[in-house]
Amino acid sequence: MSSSGGRKGESFADLFARGDVPIAKQRRLSVGEEVEGVVGHVGPDSVFVDLDDKQQGYFDTIELKDARGDVTVKVGDRVKAWVVGLDGGQIKLGKRFGRDVASTDRFRAAFEQGAPVEGKVTGVNKGGAEVDLGGIRGFCPFSQLDNQYVQDPSTFIGRSLSFVITKLDERDVVLSRRQLLEREAKDARERVLATLAIGSTVKGRVSQLREFGAFVDLGGIEGLIPMRELSHDRVKPEDVVQLGDVVEVQVKNVEKKTTDKGEKVEITLSLKALAADPWSAIEAVAPVGKVVAGQVSRLAEFGAFVRIASGVEGLLHVSELGARVRRPEEAVQIGQALLVRVLSVDVARKRIALAPASEGAAVGAEDRGGAGVIVGAVVKAIVEKVENYGVVCQLAGTKGRAGRAVIPNAETGTRLGADLRKEFPVGREVTAKVIEASDNRTRISIKAAVEDAERADFDSFRAKGGGAGMGTLGDLLKKKLGKR
């Protein structure tokens, strides 16, 4: 079918009045009709679509490419299109009518069917933009030029855009790009929603970064990756993704809600779900009893959380930071590197208990943290504080509760009524004997250590023959008493 184009600057009324536009021959399909079919072949220049009734139409391939130049369909895809031309038995399909279409029947078909038409913005006036529709003048109000407020309409001059015709009579062709954009966005949303399934993996482009997460454009509809789903680590959105990044995400939830403004769809996505779970190999990451390297990631009232691997944190309880420490910030700071000992791992609750590593301990080494002391051993200890029941010390070379010991009041070796806070200032090193050692308590005695030392000195003196002929202390007393 051939069509006559309007003369440049010609009004739609002129086209009607002239009446010399040839009418298309009657066919099964007509220009302006919306059709649907299955892609049968994708070529460099044309994409062929198998329509109903054993007919075949074609797109110019360029019309089905995205902004990056990639063809957006593949063989087997079902697509919708408009019949934009019938010539020599060929059915030309399009997403819109081109600017070369300027016949009354095609404009009328586009108006009645709501089919897009293509035009070039040639200028702006007080109320809107002037659009060349292939020799026919159209008008698009500024409010309909985009789906958001247009600050400077002159930036559209020279651009070829798609519109829908909202008014058509002998005098006016009124256009709207906004309605077309909203319709296309709705169609895109529906297509995407139809393919989304919880647990499925989809690709999208990061469109917004907010303090609570990142939005991803899935192709006409956005989904949110909440902060908790960005990574196994506790991170900010900008630490993981940037605007424009193409990401692969898992669909966690799709929920439709009815609001005052209509139906709203909330899509929750996850990056974390596609990353390996560090807890699946926690035995290697946090071996109980071994020393691991970590970094303080956050502080709480009850202790400090230490990051020991990507997505793995352990708790360094405040009681492990020193007998005098009441708040974790008194002992550690966020970002501080530490060597810690793994006390326990609760896989089900994903919790790890940590303690500071002993002095001189190396990563990977076994560290009992002072819990290996035995009754009878003589040890060095550093005074940390004095309580009513005795002196609290930390065994030299250890850190944390496992290396903490108590010298009961009666074992301090001081005179009755002595001021223990003066006798044992914080930081003083003492020598004591272990008199009790268990998983829950270690007690040491200065008195016992002193007695052992005196006994050892006396035994050494006797072994060297000191006091020969003097006999025992009992013998000396008997002699003394006998003389009386």
Side-chain angles (χ1 to χ4, degrees):
M1 168 184 170
S2 63
S3 63
S4 64
R7 300 184 183 94
K8 187 174 182 180
E10 194 173 21
S11 69
F12 197 68
D14 295 335
L15 196 65
F16 266 102
R18 200 170 72 241
D20 60 351
V21 178
I23 305 299
K25 295 180 180 179
Q26 186 65 37
R27 291 178 180 273
R28 183 184 300 275
L29 295 176
S30 58
V31 172
E33 186 174 347
E34 187 176 21
V35 295
E36 187 173 353
V38 177
V39 176
H41 175 75
V42 178
D45 301 315
S46 302
V47 174
F48 292 91
V49 179
D50 296 323
L51 306 173
D52 296 334
D53 299 323
K54 298 181 180 180
Q55 298 185 84
Q56 190 178 67
Y58 73 96
F59 283 98
D60 289 333
T61 302
I62 193 172
E63 191 170 356
L64 297 177
K65 290 184 176 182
D66 59 20
R68 293 174 294 180
D70 299 327
V71 179
T72 58
V73 299
K74 61 182 182 300
V75 174
D77 284 354
R78 195 160 189 85
V79 296
K80 289 183 178 181
W82 302 95
V83 178
V84 298
L86 297 167
D87 192 8
Q90 298 291 320
I91 303 172
K92 185 174 182 180
L93 306 175
K95 293 294 185 181
R96 63 192 64 79
F97 286 102
R99 291 178 59 239
D100 57 333
V101 179
S103 62
T104 56
D105 58 333
R106 295 189 181 186
F107 272 117
R108 188 180 296 110
F111 174 58
E112 292 174 353
Q113 298 290 335
V117 294
E118 187 177 352
K120 184 175 182 179
V121 179
T122 57
V124 295
N125 55 39
K126 185 176 181 180
E130 299 171 356
V131 182
D132 176 13
L133 297 169
I136 300 300
R137 294 191 303 270
F139 174 77
C140 180
F142 289 145
S143 63
Q144 299 298 310
L145 197 53
D146 205 344
N147 56 358
Q148 54 189 355
Y149 176 72
V150 178
Q151 183 72 31
D152 183 5
S154 64
T155 59
F156 284 80
I157 295 176
R159 294 175 59 184
S160 292
L161 305 169
S162 295
F163 305 84
V164 291
I165 301 173
T166 59
K167 180 181 178 182
L168 178 66
D169 57 31
E170 294 186 5
R171 299 185 60 184
D172 299 307
V173 181
V174 182
L175 308 168
S176 172
R177 180 169 176 259
R178 178 176 181 173
Q179 288 187 20
L180 179 60
L181 293 174
E182 291 176 348
R183 187 173 76 190
E184 290 177 342
K186 181 180 179 182
D187 290 344
R189 285 196 298 269
E190 291 177 352
R191 286 196 303 272
V192 172
L193 282 173
T195 63
L196 290 182
I198 294 176
S200 63
T201 300
V202 295
K203 285 186 177 181
R205 189 178 296 275
V206 178
S207 54
Q208 299 182 63
L209 295 179
R210 299 290 184 86
E211 60 181 12
F212 51 82
F215 285 94
V216 178
D217 183 358
L218 301 175
I221 189 169
E222 287 185 327
L224 172 66
I225 309 175
M227 281 187 64
R228 67 179 183 277
E229 295 295 338
L230 283 166
S231 170
H232 289 289
D233 282 324
R234 296 173 182 268
V235 293
K236 296 179 180 179
E238 56 268 26
D239 295 332
V240 182
V241 293
Q242 298 296 321
L243 285 175
D245 285 354
V246 176
V247 294
E248 190 170 50
V249 292
Q250 184 183 89
V251 179
K252 299 290 287 185
N253 189 43
V254 179
E255 184 177 1
K256 294 183 178 180
K257 295 182 178 180
T258 302
T259 67
D260 296 340
K261 297 181 180 180
E263 188 177 72
K264 180 181 179 182
V265 180
E266 292 184 353
I267 302 171
T268 304
L269 308 171
S270 175
L271 267 177
K272 182 176 74 174
L274 301 181
D277 185 356
W279 282 85
S280 61
I282 197 63
E283 295 83 1
V285 173
V288 175
K290 297 292 184 69
V291 176
V292 296
Q295 186 177 53
V296 179
S297 55
R298 54 196 176 102
L299 301 177
E301 184 177 352
F302 48 83
F305 286 91
V306 180
R307 181 183 183 273
I308 58 177
S310 178
V312 180
E313 287 182 333
L315 175 63
L316 190 59
H317 196 272
V318 67
S319 61
E320 297 287 357
L321 296 173
R324 304 184 68 196
V325 175
R326 293 290 178 264
R327 300 182 64 83
E329 53 266 33
E330 296 173 12
V332 295
Q333 298 178 341
I334 293 176
Q336 182 177 342
L338 296 174
L339 289 183
V340 290
R341 175 168 54 93
V342 180
L343 297 177
S344 64
V345 177
D346 186 339
V347 178
R349 300 170 69 188
K350 292 191 174 181
R351 291 184 177 179
I352 298 175
L354 304 172
S358 298
E359 292 179 9
V363 173
E366 188 169 354
D367 182 6
R368 301 188 65 186
V373 295
I374 59 175
V375 173
V378 176
V379 296
K380 298 287 187 181
I382 308 299
V383 175
E384 289 205 332
K385 63 178 179 178
V386 176
E387 298 285 3
N388 292 333
Y389 52 82
V391 181
V392 180
C393 301
Q394 188 76 35
L395 298 180
T398 72
K399 294 180 181 179
R401 284 182 294 181
R404 204 160 292 151
V406 174
I407 308 172
N409 289 333
E411 301 295 333
T412 59
T414 58
R415 67 186 184 281
L416 186 64
D419 187 345
L420 294 184
R421 285 180 172 79
K422 289 185 178 179
E423 296 284 345
F424 297 97
V426 174
R428 174 185 170 184
E429 183 181 84
V430 298
T431 300
K433 180 179 179 179
V434 179
I435 58 176
E436 181 181 351
S438 66
D439 291 339
N440 300 319
R441 183 168 64 174
T442 300
R443 295 169 61 209
I444 58 178
S445 170
I446 294 176
K447 178 182 176 183
V450 170
E451 289 175 349
D452 283 356
E454 290 177 346
R455 186 176 297 109
D457 288 343
F458 181 72
D459 290 343
S460 176
F461 178 75
R462 289 187 62 189
K464 293 178 180 178
M470 294 178 61
T472 66
L473 181 60
D475 294 336
L476 292 175
L477 287 174
K478 286 180 181 179
K479 288 181 180 180
K480 192 112 175 172
L481 291 173
K483 289 179 179 180
R484 291 182 181 177

